[in-house]
Amino acid sequence: MRFFVLLILSSLCVYAFWFDSPKPKTIEIKAPPMDVAYEKSMALDYLNTLRQETGMSRYITNKILQKAAMTHANYLIQNHKLGHFEKEGARGFTGETPKQRALQAGYQVGMITENVSVNVLDYKDSIDELFSAIYHRFGFLDFQSDEIGIGIVQNPKDTNQNAFVYDMGIYELDDLCTQRSYDGDEKYVYHICKNPNHRIEEQTFHSLFQLRKSASKKLIIYPYDKQDNVPPAFYNESPDPLPEYDVSGFPISIQFNDYYFKHSRLTTFALYTMDDEEIPAKVLDVKNDPNHMFKPNQYALFPYKRLDYDTPYKVVVTYRADGKNATKEWHFRTKKLPKPFFIITKNQAHIKIKPHTLYTLYFKPVDSHDLLKDLHFPADVEIRFLDQNTITLKLTSNNTESFEVKSGVKTLHVEIDTP
């Protein structure tokens, strides 16, 4: 019997002015061709839905940022790379950094935030992964940016290879950089625009950012209240906010909008089951973020263990802002497993399946390092990853012989249910 080895190898990246973030995942089963125009449209709609639900303004599309995002997505595919940095002389090179690529494309300001994911299933998988990684999430839930360019490219010779690039900018600031340089007597700022000598009146510059912040709610939470279909797990990010864990629970975040609050701090931040059982977790803020990426108004709670599927949770935050104590409580629910499904809890397990039926298998991690490694399985079995502990499995032939799926110390014994 012929066997396949399924290698896990994926990536997810973010760039917010100064940092780079890779993360794995891809599959050696051929993916179908993408409708790129559809993926772009749906990605923008999905991102705007998430931003609006959290209380932020919608992104508008910027064609110049879209050009910059597309050129970088093409570069990643042509050179089989991931990340945000390009090498001069390589095919498709348009600029070493997101800032340089945006300026090269014609954008007038260098304040660019970029998120990147590669080799994902589709737009939703891309954005969900980016929201699962806290630094990437804060890149999307930014009080400043209000316009975006999305670039999506799939390798026609290897449809498993794709790149999703999101370049975010600030419309009002880009507009100021196209106007006449300030020549008055008041204080001014420069080295902001494509022309480094272009001046913007300091008061106008700061008022612009206050205007952007005023368009958002006082508190930005994620997952938002009553959100469902929330991924249950966080895996890794580079730089990694939880380096001692390979798998943990989906992070919960809260941001204070400093347009409304001069001084704010958390007193408690906790996650509960609906039976009021507190979930053990670590809270990160500007003081203990190991990578020094958090801002003073940003907080995130990381459950030590991945959350359960199709389960409601409650978040309670108490805080003190501008001399007043307050409490914020909200709820969300994790995504369901597609049926029929099995939850595998042992290294040696047995299941029974029918041919030509798609099953979902969740290998519940026994510790913070328990991930599915390279999978070994017969050639007439089709497997795809939903995350690094969850797969779909289908026997594509009428084979009635039992078989095994192996991953490291794990062996799943599969029996065929025949009529």
Side-chain angles (χ1 to χ4, degrees), residues 37-57:
Y38 171 83
E39 293 290 324
K40 284 184 184 179
S41 175
M42 294 303 294
L44 179 62
D45 285 348
Y46 187 45
L47 262 179
N48 279 335
T49 296
L50 296 182
R51 278 176 61 92
Q52 281 190 298
E53 290 290 349
T54 63
M56 308 190 88
S57 61

Side-chain angles (χ1 to χ4, degrees), residues 117 202 238-239 270 272 312 321:
S117 62
E202 185 178 63
S238 176
Y272 299 91

Side-chain angles (χ1 to χ4, degrees), residues 267-283 301-305 307 312-318:
T267 50
T268 62
F269 192 176
L271 178 67
Y272 299 91
T273 66
M274 298 311 289
D275 295 326
D276 288 325
E277 178 184 350
E278 185 171 357
I279 307 295
K282 181 176 183 177
V283 176
L301 178 147
F302 285 82
Y304 289 126
K305 294 183 179 180
L307 305 180
Y313 291 93
K314 177 176 68 176
V315 186
V316 179
V317 172
T318 59

Side-chain angles (χ1 to χ4, degrees), residues 24-136:
K25 174 175 153 233
T26 300
I27 297 147
E28 289 199 329
I29 295 174
K30 190 172 182 180
M34 275 187 178
D35 183 339
V36 171
Y38 171 83
E39 293 290 324
K40 284 184 184 179
S41 175
M42 294 303 294
L44 179 62
D45 285 348
Y46 187 45
L47 262 179
N48 279 335
T49 296
L50 296 182
R51 278 176 61 92
Q52 281 190 298
E53 290 290 349
T54 63
M56 308 190 88
S57 61
R58 294 172 63 88
Y59 284 129
I60 59 174
T61 298
N62 181 288
K63 292 183 178 180
I64 294 175
L65 290 177
Q66 185 166 296
K67 178 182 177 182
M70 279 297 296
T71 58
H72 187 52
N74 271 311
Y75 174 92
L76 297 177
I77 295 300
Q78 290 179 37
N79 295 282
H80 306 285
K81 298 291 184 181
L82 59 92
H84 310 282
F85 298 98
E86 297 185 5
K87 185 177 180 180
E88 189 170 0
R91 288 184 299 170
F93 174 84
T94 55
E96 183 180 353
T97 66
K99 172 183 175 179
Q100 292 170 349
R101 293 191 294 273
L103 295 178
Q104 173 67 25
Y107 205 59
Q108 295 300 309
V109 59
M111 295 179 67
I112 299 296
T113 301
E114 181 175 90
N115 277 356
V116 175
S117 62
V118 304
N119 302 341
V120 293
L121 299 176
D122 55 21
Y123 74 92
K124 191 174 186 302
D125 188 37
S126 167
I127 293 169
D128 283 347
E129 282 198 353
L130 288 161
F131 268 86
S132 296
I134 195 64
Y135 302 131
H136 304 67

Side-chain angles (χ1 to χ4, degrees), residues 341-356:
F341 64 81
F342 296 95
I343 298 177
I344 313 298
T345 59
K346 298 179 180 179
N347 286 339
Q348 298 290 323
H350 295 76
I351 63 171
K352 182 181 286 189
I353 68 169
K354 296 179 179 179
H356 308 290

